[in-house]
């Protein structure tokens, strides 16, 4: 995830709800990951992330 954040590279994130989202990480701050998805910007708590894939 760090490399994707640094390089603005798209990744897949699996949430606790078992939903996968495809997003580009924008920044990480205060226990949250801010991402850009096809539906716009979104914030995700790190505690809700269970898996990450390139």
């Amino acid at each position: 995830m760090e490399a994707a954040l640094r390089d603005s590279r798209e990744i897949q994130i699996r949430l606790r709800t078992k939903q996968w989202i495809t997003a580009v990480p924008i920044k990480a701050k205060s226990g949250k990951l801010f991402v850009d998805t096809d539906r716009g910007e979104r914030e995700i708590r790190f505690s809700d992330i269970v898996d990450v894939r390139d």
Side-chain angles (χ1 to χ4, degrees):
M1 190 178 328
E2 288 179 29
L5 184 60
R6 182 185 63 239
D7 301 337
S8 297
R9 190 175 63 220
E10 190 173 81
I11 58 174
Q12 291 184 324
I13 301 168
R14 185 175 183 198
L15 303 177
R16 185 179 295 184
T17 60
K18 299 182 181 174
Q19 173 189 14
W20 283 95
I21 62 168
T22 301
V24 177
I26 300 170
K27 67 180 176 179
K29 183 177 180 182
S30 303
K32 296 177 184 173
L33 179 65
F34 295 84
V35 298
D36 187 22
T37 69
D38 58 351
R39 295 183 177 187
E41 205 169 296
R42 177 176 177 175
E43 72 180 52
I44 304 168
R45 291 183 305 195
F46 282 117
S47 60
D48 289 339
I49 298 172
V50 295
D51 195 9
V52 176
R53 287 195 250 176
D54 284 332

